[in-house]
Amino acid sequence: FVTQSDFGRTLDPNVRRGSDHGWAGHHFVVSGSLRGGKIFNDYPFSLAAGNLADLGRGRLIPKYPWESYMVPIAKWLGVEDGQLNTVFPNLPNFNSSFIVQDLF
């Protein structure tokens, strides 16, 4: 079971006291094969306005691409290394240090 969203949410409320579309978000991966019980990647150092990842109005710039956890899942499902750039066309924009290495 994997959660997926095409947008995050802002931390600051809009004029109607809701939240607007943002960039950063969190996802859940649940599996019997998963090395679970931990948070992969890093939680932001600060959520306060003006932090290094804050673009304004509560919009955070993500530190990790969603490929960071989707690549190991795709490989677990049988996608071969030579197919990864086709399956994930944005992958060449990030170095491999952003890919979770011990998800399974």
Side-chain angles (χ1 to χ4, degrees):
F1 173 78
V2 178
T3 64
Q4 186 65 39
S5 177
D6 61 342
F7 60 87
R9 302 304 297 180
T10 59
L11 298 176
D12 293 347
N14 60 24
V15 296
R16 294 197 173 146
R17 303 182 77 101
S19 64
D20 291 321
H21 292 204
W23 291 328
H26 58 276
H27 304 280
F28 294 95
V29 180
V30 180
S31 168
S33 299
L34 187 70
R35 290 186 184 159
K38 57 184 170 180
I39 295 175
F40 294 96
N41 298 330
D42 299 318
Y43 193 76
F45 176 74
S46 172
L47 297 177
N51 73 70
L52 294 176
D54 183 19
L55 195 60
R57 294 190 51 241
R59 294 173 295 160
L60 295 180
I61 298 171
K63 182 174 180 181
Y64 296 95
W66 68 274
E67 289 92 346
S68 67
Y69 72 94
M70 289 304 295
V71 165
I73 292 171
K75 290 173 79 170
W76 182 76
L77 290 170
V79 175
E80 297 179 16
D81 287 342
Q83 300 171 308
L84 290 174
N85 287 345
T86 302
V87 175
F88 303 103
N90 199 37
L91 193 58
N93 294 323
F94 302 95
N95 67 48
S96 63
S97 70
F98 286 100
I99 305 301
V100 175
Q101 299 299 317
D102 58 349
L103 191 60
F104 293 99

